[in-house]
Amino acid sequence: MAERIGLVEATVKAHGDFAGGQSVPGLQPFLHDAHLSLAAPSLCASGPDGALRGGADGFYHGDRRVLSRLEAAVEAVPVVPIGAATGPEGDVVFRAVLRGLAEQTPDPAVVLERSRAVSPGRLTERYTVRNAGGRTARLRLSLSAASDLATMEQVKSGRPAAPVSPRTGPGEARWSDGAISGTLTLNPGPDEQLTGPDGTVTMAYLIEVPPGTTWHAELRCDAEHRDGDLFPAPPKATRWWSAPEVTGPDRRLAHWISRSDRDLFRLVLSDPLQPEDVFLAAGAPWYLTLFGRDALWSARMLLPLGTDVAAGTLRTLARRQGTAHVPATEEQPGKILHEVRRDEPAPDGTTSLPPSYYGTADATPLWLILLYDAWRWGMPESEVAALLPHAEAALNWMEHCADADGDGFLEYADSSGAGLSNQGWKDSSDGIRFRDGRPALAPIALSEVQAYAHEAAVKAAALLDAFARPGGEQWRRWAEGLRERFRTHFWTEDDTGPYPAVALDRDKRRVDSVASNMGHLLGTGLLGPEESARVAGRLTDAGDTADGGMDSGFGLRTLDASSAGFNALGYHTGSVWPHDTAIAVHGLARAGRAEAAGRLATGLLGAAEQFGYRLPELFAGYSRDRQSRPAPYPASCRPQAWAAASSVLVLQSLFGLEADVPARRLRHATRVPSGFEGLRVRHLRIGGRHFDVSADAEGRVEVHGLAGFTLVPVHATGW
């Protein structure tokens, strides 16, 4: 029996190495063709045929891989995958034909179905053999499972751990290292069971399936951390935001919104310190935890659907707001953190980033902006008031900690020597560079961080005034001073004309690359009308050639294609990030550039359609003129929270919606951009009330269901 099982395993392993091509030691595994089932904090990533066989494949729970291998094989029968289908609840069914089995005609007769469902802490797979032939099918089905209990960092680095030996019983296998355990059970129990020398458990069924009948077995794998989940699934599934209903001549936006809604629902995590507070994990598989910047942007994008996620995100981050100067973690009083992970060793036996890491220059002003925007969309005033001491601490950080050299700009430098060298949203080591390709050296003052800080100061001043707290006038003066300093120090020029540099380096030189960061400046108040027009022109410039410019046709490139460091597959040096483009769409709309916003939004819709409406974290920045389908970035997360939530921000931008619940007002555009005529959206929310918006055949906007609110139409010349 050992020989038969070993032969099947060897055959499947050879097929897996050829088909997946992912298990290359020391390289980050690719994900672009993976099927991912998600229920945070758990997920399952597999190949297109449903098998787990190395690379990033696995069943994960709380950043640990509980199953690294799970394969199905039929002895002496070719198993040929014919496709996978995802249901509305995230379940996936993988189907394969068992070639030659019970066949009487050229038609396939026997199909193996592998139905997968993931819930927090549990993977369930139901195996079904269906015989539509005229003969009895006799087969030996074996299921092989193994675990390495690797950390997410080990998997991402391409250096996973060695397999862990299991404890087994009839129809059961258990893996544990004391910190996490995984238990696999089969029902009904198998006819044969064997544990190989490498720790692989193989369980086999001897099956007879008469014509017109089916056979079933269910596999379950339960995972549990000894000390509980770092961020658990919410105690009960509920609706934290409304589900918008989108109709119109172009159905792509409706499909994008619908798919994004389902993905976001499965990314929700809760704060164990207050389980009713929820936030969105950044993305799967690499970032299924709390990231300050990502959670804040995602919550902000969802505000037209409700304020519950925003409130939970604000409170979750406020509980972890910095209180002391700790160079090793880059914590400072009032600072909002970057990310939280478990305190686990890296592959080389050291630690990577600290488990609670504060190395981010932008999360703190973004926290202030979200607090204000959530208030304006209807977050209860008592909840806003409770967070004002945290807002004042954040403002104090901007004034006294964020500007280390006293030049009046927020800047960053890795103070630990082991943290992130770049600490804006483009946080890869080569993400900030000059036009000639040279990397910028820290301390670095990013352009968009100054824009966030300006917007945060103005909005915080309004909050302080509204809640009768001192300091409003001081922060308005501070914002105006920053605005003038930015105009003096950041603007540079090339043959096309003036534009804002992406950053200032340690010597206060303008980092002169033309980058998508400038899109984040629009609508923040940092730029004047003429400056906004210049930025809008740069963002929508496709360049002189099919490979030039910022606009790829599917969204904004992170770096202009004419730059020396441009790489269409560079993480932050030429790729397209949907959230980045959506932020530019919103900024263009707020700056009165509705048609430019509409063109970028149309590009994103084209990309969404090609990715099955589950837009990835990022994709390649190749030109649409040369390539009709966007190429994936192979290691990209999918889904990613802010990529999914971007669909709602685009929707908000098309209608120009800006809420002011305290004043009982809603601003809206007079017209939608060209191409979006006839669009209608139902079940938006403001101050706990539902309302609808629509555009007629000529694009004229109407708002429905807001009796008692003053509607303020705004023409495309800015707010």
Side-chain angles (χ1 to χ4, degrees):
M1 190 58 63
E3 290 181 1
R4 291 207 296 171
I5 292 176
L7 177 62
V8 172
E9 285 182 333
T11 303
V12 173
K13 183 181 187 301
H15 170 71
D17 288 344
F18 173 77
Q22 299 181 21
S23 301
V24 183
L27 296 181
Q28 183 176 353
F30 284 171
L31 297 164
H32 60 284
D33 62 349
H35 276 269
L36 196 145
S37 302
L38 173 67
S42 300
L43 67 97
C44 186
S46 75
D49 61 352
L52 316 184
R53 54 166 70 95
D57 292 355
F59 170 52
Y60 298 81
H61 180 68
D63 271 356
R64 295 292 299 273
R65 182 157 65 181
V66 180
L67 283 179
S68 54
R69 180 181 178 190
L70 184 58
E71 300 180 76
V74 180
E75 187 177 27
V77 175
V79 180
V80 182
I82 58 172
T86 302
E89 299 304 317
D91 297 357
V92 184
V93 178
F94 303 91
R95 291 185 175 90
V97 171
L98 305 186
R99 291 296 306 274
L101 199 61
E103 293 176 1
Q104 295 176 300
T105 71
D107 294 333
V110 182
V111 172
L112 171 64
E113 293 182 354
R114 179 176 187 161
S115 179
R116 173 179 298 155
V118 174
S119 57
R122 176 172 292 174
L123 167 70
T124 303
E125 291 205 344
R126 184 173 175 85
Y127 297 86
T128 302
V129 179
R130 298 186 184 277
N131 184 2
R135 300 174 178 171
T136 295
R138 294 178 176 86
L139 62 147
R140 182 177 179 279
L141 172 67
S142 63
L143 305 176
S144 299
S147 175
D148 58 7
L149 298 180
T151 67
M152 188 63 76
E153 178 67 22
Q154 287 174 297
V155 176
K156 192 171 186 285
S157 70
R159 299 189 183 277
V164 175
S165 296
R167 294 174 57 187
T168 61
E172 180 177 296
R174 187 175 188 273
W175 299 268
S176 178
D177 64 0
I180 188 170
S181 62
T183 303
L184 181 149
T185 55
L186 275 178
N187 183 28
D191 298 307
E192 302 170 358
Q193 183 167 328
L194 176 71
T195 301
D198 64 351
T200 298
V201 179
T202 300
M203 304 180 185
Y205 292 97
L206 306 177
I207 306 168
E208 287 193 2
V209 189
T213 65
T214 59
W215 172 91
H216 303 283
E218 184 175 279
L219 177 149
R220 196 173 79 187
C221 185
D222 293 295
E224 184 177 13
H225 282 278
R226 179 185 59 191
D227 56 354
D229 294 332
L230 182 64
F231 293 108
K236 58 181 179 179
T238 185
R239 261 276 164 202
W240 299 279
W241 60 85
S242 63
E245 182 182 305
V246 181
T247 56
D250 188 340
R251 295 292 298 161
R252 293 179 300 172
L253 185 54
H255 292 316
W256 185 21
I257 288 281
S258 177
R259 181 57 189 261
S260 297
D261 178 77
R262 297 196 302 271
D263 284 339
L264 289 167
F265 190 79
R266 302 183 80 82
L267 283 167
V268 176
L269 291 173
S270 69
D271 185 351
L273 302 178
Q274 189 61 52
E276 290 76 18
D277 284 338
V278 300
F279 62 91
L280 290 167
W286 311 128
Y287 309 122
L288 206 58
T289 186
L290 175 63
F291 274 73
R293 177 192 309 116
D294 297 56
L296 289 161
W297 264 120
S298 300
R300 188 182 181 193
M301 291 173 174
L302 288 185
L303 283 173
L305 307 183
T307 61
D308 289 353
V309 173
T313 301
L314 289 163
R315 288 192 288 263
T316 297
L317 290 168
R319 293 186 188 102
R320 295 159 178 82
Q321 189 173 27
T323 58
H325 290 275
V326 185
T329 64
E330 306 207 39
E331 179 182 353
Q332 294 172 327
K335 194 175 187 182
I336 299 299
L337 57 76
H338 173 62
E339 68 174 290
V340 182
R341 298 277 193 177
R342 286 186 177 273
D343 188 6
E344 293 179 312
D348 59 3
T350 65
T351 57
S352 50
L353 294 178
S356 290
Y357 179 60
Y358 288 78
T360 168
D362 51 11
T364 307
L366 287 171
W367 188 95
L368 288 163
I369 292 169
L370 179 61
L371 179 63
Y372 174 88
D373 287 358
W375 172 57
R376 298 268 289 202
W377 276 97
M379 182 175 167
E381 291 200 349
S382 60
E383 298 181 23
V384 175
L387 289 170
L388 289 179
H390 295 279
E392 290 165 334
L395 289 167
N396 186 70
W397 176 83
M398 287 206 313
E399 184 175 21
H400 297 292
C401 299
D403 179 14
D405 60 7
D407 68 346
F409 296 114
L410 280 71
E411 58 228 349
Y412 62 82
D414 173 26
S415 62
S416 69
L420 295 173
S421 56
N422 282 313
Q423 297 183 4
W425 83 263
K426 293 180 178 177
D427 57 5
S428 54
S429 60
D430 64 349
I432 307 300
R433 52 172 62 193
F434 288 85
R435 199 164 190 166
D436 61 9
R438 289 175 296 128
L441 299 179
I444 293 173
L446 290 171
S447 59
E448 76 271 20
V449 172
Q450 315 315 310
Y452 301 156
H454 178 277
E455 184 175 8
V458 172
K459 289 181 170 181
L463 275 171
L464 294 173
D465 290 350
F467 287 83
R469 299 175 82 100
E473 188 56 38
Q474 169 199 341
W475 283 103
R476 277 185 284 273
R477 289 195 303 269
W478 187 92
E480 184 56 32
L482 177 60
R483 189 172 189 255
E484 293 304 317
R485 289 190 297 276
F486 186 92
R487 181 171 291 126
T488 300
H489 293 282
F490 270 80
W491 280 82
T492 188
E493 191 167 359
D494 61 9
D495 293 343
T496 304
Y499 65 96
V502 69
L504 302 181
D505 75 351
R506 68 181 181 186
D507 298 316
K508 309 306 174 186
R509 292 174 298 186
R510 298 178 182 92
V511 182
D512 60 349
S513 54
V514 177
S516 64
N517 305 56
M518 68 177 69
H520 295 230
L521 314 184
L522 293 167
T524 64
L526 188 71
L527 306 179
E530 184 178 341
E531 294 167 327
S532 294
R534 294 185 187 279
V535 169
R538 289 282 180 156
L539 293 177
T540 54
D541 178 19
D544 297 330
T545 70
D547 291 323
M550 290 293 298
D551 185 5
S552 73
F554 289 116
L556 288 177
R557 299 178 171 110
T558 43
L559 188 66
D560 185 274
S562 65
S563 298
F566 174 79
N567 176 5
L569 284 169
Y571 196 60
H572 292 127
T573 55
S575 60
V576 175
W577 289 64
H579 89 281
D580 184 37
T581 299
I583 289 169
V585 168
H586 187 225
L588 287 165
R590 294 171 77 190
R593 304 284 165 175
E595 289 305 311
R599 287 195 296 275
L600 287 181
T602 299
L604 272 184
L605 280 178
E609 181 181 24
Q610 297 300 326
F611 283 107
Y613 300 101
R614 175 183 269 184
L615 271 175
E617 175 189 10
L618 70 157
F619 53 88
Y622 297 118
S623 172
R624 190 171 188 169
D625 291 338
R626 292 185 179 272
Q627 184 165 320
S628 60
R629 297 172 63 92
Y633 178 86
S636 177
C637 286
R638 186 165 171 250
Q640 183 88 349
W642 59 11
S646 292
S647 60
V648 181
L649 185 62
V650 166
L651 198 64
Q652 176 186 351
S653 304
L654 294 175
F655 286 98
L657 302 176
E658 297 288 335
D660 187 357
V661 167
R664 309 288 289 176
R665 284 199 301 263
L666 177 72
R667 294 184 175 190
H668 64 87
T670 55
R671 308 180 68 87
V672 294
S674 301
F676 293 94
E677 297 86 355
L679 182 63
R680 182 182 179 95
V681 186
R682 300 182 61 206
H683 308 309
L684 298 172
R685 265 167 62 181
I686 180 172
R689 292 178 55 178
H690 287 264
F691 71 101
D692 306 337
V693 293
S694 64
D696 64 16
E698 281 72 47
R700 293 184 294 263
V701 172
E702 292 185 2
V703 178
H704 315 271
L706 274 187
F709 270 72
T710 300
L711 303 179
V712 183
V714 180
H715 296 275
T717 54
W719 298 128

